[in-house]
Amino acid sequence: MVEIDPTEHEIAELGPKIKDIDDEAVLREMLDLEEDGEDRTPVKTLIQSRIDKLEDEGGEVDPETVDLSELTVADIANLVRDVDDADVLRDMLDREQDGQNRKTAISRIESRIESVEGSEDEDGEVGEVEYVPPEEKYPELDHPTNDKQWVEGTVGADYRDMWVYCETQAGELVDVSKEMLGKARELMDQYNDDYGESERVVAVLIGADASDHVEDVIAYGADLVLYHEDEQLERFRHKPYTEIFVDMARAGGELASEGHEAVDWKDYHEPRYTVFPATNNGRDLSALVQGALDSGLASDCSGLYIEEAMISNPAKTGKAGDKKEFERVLHMKRPDFSGFEYSTILCIDKPNRDFHPQGASVIPGSFEVPEPDTEREAEVIDYEMELDDEWFLVDVPEFDRLSGGVDLTGNEVVVAVGRGIGDDPTTGVELALDLVDAFEDADLGLSRGVITSSYSFDGHVEQYISEERQIGESGQEVQPDVYIAAGISGAIQHKVGCDESDTIIAINTDADADIADFSDYVIEGDLFEVLPQLTEAVERGELAAAVEASDD
């Protein structure tokens, strides 16, 4: 009998488990179970990929003779990494062009040729990699930049400061804005010590009540506050908010708008770093701003630090075989979509192209909210600019703002439930709510598995099943005194959302579930039996004793 039934797991949970299975027969049985059950394409792809890998390991693939038409683009990318003979690579390139002629596969092979061969002079010595603009290298492609009025392509410009977009909602500065300011303050203080600089934390406020929050952002760490206030900006709008931020960022630079060619608060081209909240509005704005500034974005980050980076990619160093140390690089740490591990994203300049600002959006709850310093002082700029009527062509004459919402970040206790409630979802949530009610300051959280499941909930329980309560990478990040995870396996995306809790108590029928790796206490048992016992213990004031007694 197969050890793992894929229909009982999310794809993020299956990834780490499947990579340890070396029996093709077991994997094929799992594939059959998935096809006969939920039949999820990503899950079937994951299982099939593991099968393919095991089959490939059974025999070496010869790049000189392999039939490229039988390989995926990913297979080709993996294959060429180990090929160091430029002639073999060129032969592969010819075979691909004469065969399926897949642009991505061709690009992978050409990139490897550049890496291996570089540009040789007459004596066969490796020289600098020749720079060919994309529109010349691939003239047959439709380049989005062709529609732009300009592509800046700045090289060697001056960049300074860390800019933080401080989002407000319903007249309040949201907590993630405070978190980012505190982290930016920490980063730039260390940066200035390390490099002997005096670069600043710049807070950006945009909205109908932007000036109301100036003192707050100063208290949380800003050295300079830029704000633009206009009653038309009461609600977040993509076009005007983007235009305002970009205009601020380029004030005093080579492409500054009229009236902002020279400003006394900024003497550099563009910001060195930009940080945005990974909220609904922040995700949109960060992508639009970074695109307008012709740079990149690392989205949904949970960690940031600044240090050097040693890079050997010839596209970045300008010369095949060379290594180059890049200074002052913002390392942007985020969970992988696969759920296997974290990746650190870097935004590195090329010899013919700067990529600044180095931009990131930050998952709410990733950093602590600092203690405000009401004695801090900062420069404040009321940034004036004309707003184009065309940015407001869509008019919203009236709207209702939803009251309430769910903010789990301020609770002392969070009780979260996962797919372990599957035998009786309604009862499982009711038991969790009973435990929530037993505490003075607690609320209910959910794993992504509950949100994406097809469970049917009865009565009042249904109102608690919403994305607002999701804990994890794509939900909220919480840091309560006590986090109780009932029936949650502990995929890395969920770990992101609760790992900073003071005490994590896991309830799971599997004592070796992934969540055990980062929990303080693991109670091996069925949540339907354990939750009522914990509720009684809390009501008696004996939670600690009950957990200690139950912990395995």
Side-chain angles (χ1 to χ4, degrees):
M1 181 178 178
V2 68
E3 295 180 5
I4 302 173
D5 184 346
T7 63
E8 297 178 353
H9 299 272
E10 300 176 59
I11 186 172
E13 298 170 342
L14 287 170
K17 299 178 185 296
I18 288 175
K19 69 178 182 179
D20 295 327
I21 299 176
D22 297 320
D23 190 328
E24 288 186 36
V26 171
L27 290 164
R28 292 190 184 281
E29 187 176 352
M30 291 175 62
L31 189 59
D32 291 340
L33 286 171
E34 181 62 30
E35 289 176 343
D36 294 338
E38 297 194 28
D39 198 30
R40 296 165 293 179
T41 298
V43 172
K44 292 189 294 183
T45 301
L46 180 65
I47 299 172
Q48 186 62 54
S49 296
R50 180 61 181 165
I51 294 173
D52 294 342
K53 184 175 182 180
L54 291 175
E55 290 177 343
D56 291 342
E57 289 174 353
E60 292 294 327
V61 176
D62 186 348
E64 297 187 52
T65 60
V66 66
D67 185 351
L68 297 182
S69 65
E70 295 182 355
L71 302 181
T72 66
V73 172
D75 292 334
I76 292 174
N78 289 327
L79 180 61
V80 299
R81 287 195 188 106
D82 299 322
V83 180
D84 296 319
D85 189 324
D87 290 334
V88 172
L89 290 165
R90 292 188 185 284
D91 179 62
M92 291 179 66
L93 181 62
D94 291 340
R95 281 150 49 205
E96 176 63 30
Q97 290 173 331
D98 292 339
Q100 294 195 48
N101 198 29
R102 292 164 292 186
K103 290 182 173 61
T104 306
I106 290 171
S107 175
R108 296 290 188 183
I109 300 171
E110 288 178 335
S111 294
R112 182 59 183 167
I113 292 173
E114 289 181 0
S115 179
V116 169
E117 190 176 61
S119 298
E120 297 182 355
D121 58 23
E122 295 178 355
D123 298 323
E125 296 295 327
V126 176
E128 292 188 358
V129 175
E130 180 185 2
Y131 172 69
V132 181
E135 57 270 21
E136 294 181 17
K137 189 173 184 180
Y138 305 106
E140 74 281 4
L141 298 185
D142 180 20
H143 292 275
T145 53
N146 288 340
D147 297 329
K148 280 193 173 184
Q149 294 180 355
W150 44 262
V151 175
E152 187 175 354
T154 305
V155 179
D158 189 20
Y159 309 99
R160 295 178 66 82
D161 298 341
M162 177 174 284
W163 286 39
V164 180
Y165 172 66
C166 298
E167 182 176 344
T168 62
Q169 294 179 9
E172 298 292 334
L173 185 68
V174 298
D175 282 349
V176 65
S177 298
K178 302 171 186 177
E179 294 173 29
M180 294 188 303
L181 286 168
K183 186 63 177 179
R185 177 76 278 146
E186 172 191 326
L187 289 171
M188 295 312 290
D189 284 345
Q190 185 64 52
Y191 173 96
N192 289 330
D193 286 343
D194 291 344
Y195 298 105
E197 299 281 7
S198 56
E199 297 191 24
R200 303 167 296 180
V201 174
V202 179
V204 176
L205 289 164
I206 301 171
D209 57 356
S211 61
D212 295 348
H213 308 288
V214 168
E215 292 184 4
D216 284 340
V217 298
I218 294 173
Y220 284 105
D223 298 305
L224 168 66
V225 182
L226 302 175
Y227 75 91
H228 182 86
E229 186 171 271
D230 191 297
E231 61 181 12
Q232 298 179 91
L233 302 172
E234 181 180 2
R235 300 174 68 246
F236 175 77
R237 291 171 178 256
H238 292 94
K239 183 64 173 177
Y241 273 64
T242 301
E243 293 289 347
I244 293 167
F245 192 109
V246 170
D247 204 76
M248 290 175 171
R250 284 194 166 139
E254 297 172 13
L255 296 168
S257 62
E258 184 178 352
H260 297 134
E261 295 90 348
V263 292
D264 56 11
W265 50 269
K266 173 177 175 286
D267 59 0
Y268 51 86
H269 182 55
E270 289 176 350
R272 185 184 298 279
Y273 315 112
T274 50
V275 186
F276 302 82
T279 57
N280 289 336
N281 293 341
R283 285 188 175 105
D284 288 353
L285 183 64
S286 58
L288 291 166
V289 166
Q290 292 299 110
L293 294 176
D294 292 309
S295 190
L297 174 74
S299 59
D300 292 354
C301 296
S302 58
L304 301 172
Y305 59 96
I306 299 170
E307 63 179 36
E308 285 66 44
M310 185 66 72
I311 304 296
S312 59
N313 187 332
K316 300 296 184 181
T317 63
K319 193 173 184 179
D322 272 8
K323 289 186 176 181
K324 178 180 178 180
E325 185 176 59
F326 289 80
E327 290 189 341
R328 313 182 190 206
V329 178
L330 182 63
H331 290 60
M332 299 167 280
K333 187 176 177 182
R334 72 176 311 281
D336 279 348
F337 289 117
S338 64
F340 296 164
E341 57 189 13
Y342 284 87
S343 292
T344 300
I345 311 300
L346 309 180
C347 190
I348 303 291
D349 293 339
K350 289 184 176 182
N352 301 283
R353 178 80 160 76
D354 287 359
F355 289 98
H356 279 78
Q358 300 174 40
S361 64
V362 173
I363 300 172
S366 296
F367 309 121
E368 292 185 5
V369 175
E371 289 295 325
D373 179 3
T374 56
E375 301 300 317
R376 290 192 80 259
E377 296 182 355
E379 183 178 4
V380 179
I381 302 297
D382 180 358
Y383 191 81
E384 297 182 357
M385 64 178 287
E386 293 293 326
L387 304 187
D388 195 323
D389 290 340
E390 292 190 358
W391 301 345
F392 301 91
L393 293 179
V394 177
D395 185 29
V396 182
E398 61 180 65
F399 61 91
D400 291 328
R401 189 184 301 278
L402 295 176
S403 60
V406 179
D407 182 3
L408 302 177
T409 59
N411 294 106
E412 294 180 0
V413 178
V414 173
V415 180
V417 294
R419 293 178 68 125
I421 65 173
D423 290 342
D424 189 347
T426 296
T427 301
V429 174
E430 286 177 336
L431 292 175
L433 290 171
D434 289 342
L435 182 54
V436 166
D437 290 341
F439 290 102
E440 291 185 4
D441 181 13
D443 208 339
L444 177 74
L446 304 171
S447 75
R448 184 173 182 273
V450 175
I451 300 297
T452 59
S453 72
S454 57
Y455 298 147
S456 177
F457 296 93
D458 299 327
H460 73 287
V461 167
E462 188 173 4
Q463 67 182 300
Y464 290 94
I465 312 304
S466 69
E467 292 185 11
E468 290 181 311
R469 294 185 178 275
Q470 183 176 326
I471 305 291
E473 176 192 1
S474 54
Q476 299 193 45
E477 291 198 11
V478 296
Q479 303 176 19
D481 296 336
V482 178
Y483 185 82
I484 300 174
I488 296 174
S489 62
I492 192 169
Q493 289 96 333
H494 191 82
K495 179 183 178 183
V496 169
C498 65
D499 199 28
E500 296 300 319
S501 304
D502 289 345
T503 300
I504 298 177
I505 302 169
I507 304 167
N508 206 294
T509 54
D510 179 6
D512 296 323
D514 292 339
I515 199 166
D517 295 337
F518 57 93
S519 295
D520 299 287
Y521 300 95
V522 179
I523 301 174
E524 184 177 3
D526 190 328
L527 68 86
F528 291 93
E529 299 175 1
V530 176
L531 285 176
Q533 296 177 39
L534 292 184
T535 300
E536 293 176 4
V538 173
E539 291 172 344
R540 295 194 306 267
E542 300 174 356
L543 175 63
V547 172
E548 290 282 1
S550 303
D551 180 34
D552 292 329

